[in-house]
Amino acid sequence: MYTLFVGTYTYGDSEGIYSLQFNAETGSLDSLTLAAKLSNPSFLTISKDKQNLYAVQETSDFDSLGGGVTAFKLNEGILELQNSMATQGAGPCHVSLSGDGHLAVSNHGGGNVALFSLKNDGSIMGTPQIIDHKILDTTKTAHAHMAQFNKNELFVVDFGLDAIKRYELKEGEYVPLEQTSLPLSDNAGPRHFTFGQNGKMLYVINEQENTIVVFQKDSKGNFNTIQTINTLDSDFKDKSYCADIHLSPDGKFLYGSNRGEDTIVIFTVDSISGKLTLVGREPVRGDWPRNFTLDPTGKFLLVANEKTNNIVVFKRNEETGTLAYVDEIELPAPVCLKFRY
């Protein structure tokens, strides 16, 4: 049994962060509990030692500058409030940890990233470093959507600038790397990304363009585009918007979510080149799959369908990558799934 925490939007019946128990033998979900009341906790992350959980408050009115981020202590699976800090930007939509005492919050509306230091107990310190993307482009509007640490580097995908920005830690602050930017096509709308092959490969999913772009790291440490592949069926003609992206634990399969087509797209990953080949798509049995995750065993894939208020569990064929429906549970406006394990 594993504990699953669910971040939600609280504009309807939801009240905050929920917890569920997941049976990794059967794929069933039960024991739905309100773990913490919080406004729009749309993205969560859990520390590696499983002692702390962090949640954004995706609002524009936490204070005069925008949204907030909240730290909780995980005490035998129970969330105990530690503290909250303003993120100095509107609409924080992603939070991640460095593993060495830093926390990054991406402010979608604010067009910046707030980098906090953490205290020994995991609570959040004040006065974050602010990386402002609004000053980087005079023709496009910055919308930082995801920031992820990779060793001593920080990668930030910016939906509005159609690029990934690279930073490195120097003398206690993150500053631009020599390769400052990985450009994507105009109006691609990059949203999330994941690393493969121990950081050699970078996979970026584009919300507007409905594509995944594959980057490969060269001998100089720069990333170069080697493939762009569509996520939608060629027969699908309606509007659709990509959202989340994850590799299987063994790195053999890549999954992406399509909001509109309402599918999980499945690719094999070439073990040498890192390039993708389409396997197929699985309908999510709901509407608007904003976020999904693989369970700790890698045998199941769980999808949060925001508009139909359900979480759907699929059994994953570890040889072919394909998905088969197992179970589902109702929960209002689920938008982020995080296991504690």
Side-chain angles (χ1 to χ4, degrees), residues 179-190:
Q179 186 190 29
T180 59
S181 186
L182 310 182
L184 294 148
S185 59
D186 283 345
N187 300 314

Side-chain angles (χ1 to χ4, degrees), residues 237-254:
K237 303 303 180 186
D238 293 333
K239 292 287 187 180
S240 193
Y241 305 90
C242 289
D244 203 6
I245 185 170
H246 293 286
L247 279 164
S248 60
D250 59 12
K252 293 180 179 179
F253 298 96
L254 184 77

Side-chain angles (χ1 to χ4, degrees), residues 18-93:
Y18 291 82
S19 67
L20 290 155
Q21 292 302 302
F22 179 73
N23 187 320
E25 292 183 358
T26 66
S28 63
L29 287 166
D30 57 31
S31 304
L32 176 63
T33 304
L34 177 62
K37 289 189 175 183
L38 201 67
S39 177
N40 282 351
S42 65
F43 204 90
L44 317 174
T45 195
I46 297 174
S47 60
K48 288 183 179 179
D49 63 9
K50 312 307 172 190
Q51 297 301 303
N52 301 89
L53 180 146
Y54 302 89
V56 300
Q57 295 185 48
E58 190 177 337
T59 68
S60 58
D61 58 2
F62 179 88
D63 68 358
S64 61
L65 295 175
V69 60
T70 298
F72 295 92
K73 197 72 176 177
L74 270 166
N75 186 2
E76 296 183 358
I78 304 300
L79 295 184
E80 297 177 352
L81 178 65
Q82 290 181 286
N83 67 336
S84 297
M85 289 288 174
T87 62
Q88 300 191 32
C93 62

